[in-house]
């Protein structure tokens, strides 16, 4: 089966199989952005089941861009934390990739101060209670690109196999591409081509910092379901431009790779406010056609079984990223490998203490997981 076959990225790094741990924020780091023991244990245990690669939780590249209490990649003080993280992620010899992000208008005011919120434009997110950010100056935009470059340098210095730019899920890179969030009229906004300038400048800077031998990846939301958002056609243009860069992979972020339902900005998962636009074909197939082998393609969303993973590969993906299934069952991949799928845990136990202790999930992450009803299945 293809899912168990090795894979070689453009830069030459190799994965033993096609399974990747999706980036999973734990909301459990120290206040200074260093990783905690419980986060290391969370990732070590899951990586040990034999994933070809693990992508880290998103690390902030600027203090005032933090959307939760996660890891940072902003200063020398973070390097030993990142080094320990990379080691834990390599628990069974898989590749370790650092995801980097900036929160922009959805940074958390409680962490950064309400007055510090800055974004492409002074337009509030649709999230309930969202505050209006101020528009970034051109200097700030350039400075932010430099911060992404610097974070990639840290990743290289501490021995990660690569970096993934978080260009999805409504964070700053996504905000620059979105006509809803970006109302700028300078070189960083306006036309579709100008809205692509930031999402393209960041990978160029990251590649520059990484050099040719490390993995550079980009995660993208394939379309916005919200009114006046960017369309699948817009995202295909971006994808084509990304594929012209020296990128090793493009990762498509979806709630379910088959139906093409991306994470809505308001994060409503069911009921009248739920995202409803469903493209005729999965964006995976559409993106595979556009990329045409220039970079690898990662599919994610709703992969719970080996058949799901094979299905994503048949649609055109090269690799599959698995999120909630490995949160719920740390030994998920071992069970898939030994054809013991019947023993896979289908949901988090009712007892909250058991969730943290038996599944090696940091207690703050448990709170985070349970804060959104319907997000993670419960037994
Ligand atoms: C607890 C949790 C934290 C997440 N954190 C991130 C993150 O830091 N970066 C990111 O790109 N996606 C993040 N995601 C999205 C997942 O990577 C994945 O795309 C999503 O959960 C859908 O895949 P799944 O159905 O396999 O869970 C997170 C998801 C969960 C459940």
């Amino acid at each position: 089966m293809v899912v168990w076959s090795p894979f070689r990225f453009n830069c030459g790094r190799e994965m033993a199989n096609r399974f990747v741990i999706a980036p999973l924020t734990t909301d459990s780091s120290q206040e200074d952005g260093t990783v905690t023991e419980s986060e290391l244990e969370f990732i070590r245990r899951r990586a040990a089941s034999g994933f070809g690669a693990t992508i880290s939780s998103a690390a902030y590249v600027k203090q005032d861009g933090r959307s939760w209490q996660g890891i940072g990649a902003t200063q020398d003080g973070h390097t030993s934390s990142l080094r320990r993280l990379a080691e834990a992620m390599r628990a069974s010899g898989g590749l370790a990739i650092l995801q980097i992000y900036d929160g922009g208008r959805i940074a958390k005011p409680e962490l950064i101060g309400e007055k510090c919120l800055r974004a492409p434009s002074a337009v509030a997110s649709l999230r309930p209670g969202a505050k209006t950010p101020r528009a970034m100056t051109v200097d700030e935009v350039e400075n932010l690109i430099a911060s992404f470059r610097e974070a990639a340098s840290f990743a290289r210095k501490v021995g990660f196999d690569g970096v993934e730019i978080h260009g999805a899920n409504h964070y700053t890179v996504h905000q620059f591409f979105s006509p809803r969030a970006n109302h700028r009229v300078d070189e960083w906004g306006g036309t579709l081509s100008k809205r692509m300038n930031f999402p393209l400048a960041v990978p160029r800077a990251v590649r520059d910092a990484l050099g040719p031998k490390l993995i550079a990846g980009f995660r993208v939301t394939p379309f916005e379901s919200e009114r006046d958002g960017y369309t699948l056609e817009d995202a295909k243009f971006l994808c084509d431009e990304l594929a012209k860069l020296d990128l090793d992979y493009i990762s498509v972020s979806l709630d379910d790779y088959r139906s093409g339902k991306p994470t809505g900005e308001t994060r409503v998962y069911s009921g009248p406010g739920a995202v409803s636009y469903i493209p005729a074909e999965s964006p995976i197939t559409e993106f595979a056609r556009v990329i045409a082998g220039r970079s690898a393609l990662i599919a994610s969303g709703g992969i719970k079984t080996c058949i799901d993973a094979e299905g994503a590969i048949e649609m055109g993906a090269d690799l599959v990223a698995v999120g909630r299934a490995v949160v719920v069952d740390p030994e998920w991949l071992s069970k898939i490998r030994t054809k013991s799928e019947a023993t896979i845990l289908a949901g988090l136990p009712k007892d909250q203490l058991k969730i943290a202790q038996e599944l090696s999930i940091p207690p703050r992450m448990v709170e985070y997981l349970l804060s959104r009803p319907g997000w993670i299945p419960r037994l």
Side-chain angles (χ1 to χ4, degrees), residues 9-264:
F9 288 101
N10 290 343
C11 70
R13 301 256 155 175
E14 289 186 24
M15 278 174 63
N17 59 54
R18 308 300 181 96
F19 289 97
V20 177
I21 299 187
L24 292 165
T25 290
T26 63
D27 195 26
S28 305
S29 307
Q30 309 284 10
E31 278 178 22
D32 65 0
T34 54
V35 71
T36 52
E37 289 304 324
S38 60
E39 284 182 290
L40 291 173
E41 187 46 34
F42 171 82
I43 207 66
R44 192 181 292 118
R45 179 165 168 197
R46 285 159 176 81
S49 65
F51 280 87
T54 298
I55 301 168
S56 74
S57 60
Y60 60 86
V61 302
K62 272 189 101 62
Q63 287 276 353
D64 62 356
R66 286 173 294 160
S67 293
W68 55 81
Q69 196 169 316
I71 52 169
T74 65
Q75 32 146 319
D76 280 335
H78 288 149
T79 53
S80 70
S81 153
L82 293 175
R83 188 170 286 119
R84 294 181 72 212
L85 178 64
E87 277 161 17
M89 289 163 72
R90 290 209 186 89
S92 68
L95 301 177
I97 297 172
L98 181 73
Q99 191 188 56
I100 53 177
Y101 88 108
D102 181 79
R105 68 179 187 171
I106 55 170
K108 198 170 176 181
E110 295 89 315
L111 284 176
I112 66 159
E114 209 172 290
K115 295 219 168 73
C116 297
L117 269 188
R118 39 105 190 125
S121 298
V123 180
S125 149
L126 293 177
R127 291 189 178 179
K131 309 284 180 220
T132 304
R134 64 177 175 75
M136 292 161 74
T137 63
V138 169
D139 277 355
E140 282 179 310
V141 175
E142 287 167 0
N143 186 269
L144 182 55
I145 295 166
S147 298
F148 274 99
R149 180 198 305 263
E150 204 179 13
S153 299
F154 282 130
R156 178 182 180 174
K157 185 169 151 192
V158 303
F160 275 94
D161 296 289
V163 161
E164 175 175 295
I165 296 151
H166 197 348
N169 304 357
H170 307 280
Y171 297 102
T172 303
V173 178
H174 176 147
Q175 289 162 32
F176 269 96
F177 189 50
S178 166
R180 297 169 45 254
N182 184 349
H183 295 180
R184 297 179 77 97
V185 289
D186 60 9
E187 64 183 301
W188 301 108
T191 60
L192 172 63
S193 122
K194 287 185 173 175
R195 282 186 285 108
M196 287 201 279
N197 281 342
F198 190 85
L200 294 174
V202 174
R204 283 195 192 101
V206 164
R207 170 55 78 200
D208 193 41
L210 292 179
K213 294 192 179 146
L214 294 186
I215 297 164
F218 188 99
R219 195 163 212 213
V220 65
T221 291
F223 58 88
E224 292 183 310
S225 311
E226 295 86 357
R227 204 150 56 90
D228 302 327
Y230 70 74
T231 64
L232 183 60
E233 289 309 307
D234 295 343
K236 280 160 60 181
F237 273 118
L238 174 63
C239 182
D240 187 41
E241 292 303 317
L242 286 167
K244 289 178 191 163
L245 303 181
D246 209 359
L247 276 180
D248 291 282
Y249 71 82
I250 293 169
S251 171
V252 181
S253 179
L254 288 164
D255 282 346
D256 186 328
Y257 78 85
R258 299 171 205 80
S259 71
K261 194 180 79 166
T263 307

Side-chain angles (χ1 to χ4, degrees), residues 280-337:
E281 257 188 311
S282 165
I284 301 299
T285 311
E286 302 252 12
F287 273 51
R289 223 175 269 138
V290 172
I291 296 170
R294 288 174 288 174
S295 305
L297 177 61
I298 305 187
S300 60
I303 294 170
K304 297 193 192 100
T305 64
C306 202
I307 291 175
D308 294 336
E310 286 284 343
I313 301 239
E314 270 163 33
M315 277 186 183
D318 299 289
L319 308 169
V320 293
V322 188
R324 286 165 292 188
V326 287
V327 172
V328 170
D329 192 334
E331 279 70 55
W332 182 83
L333 190 61
S334 316
K335 292 176 183 174
I336 296 270
R337 191 191 295 274

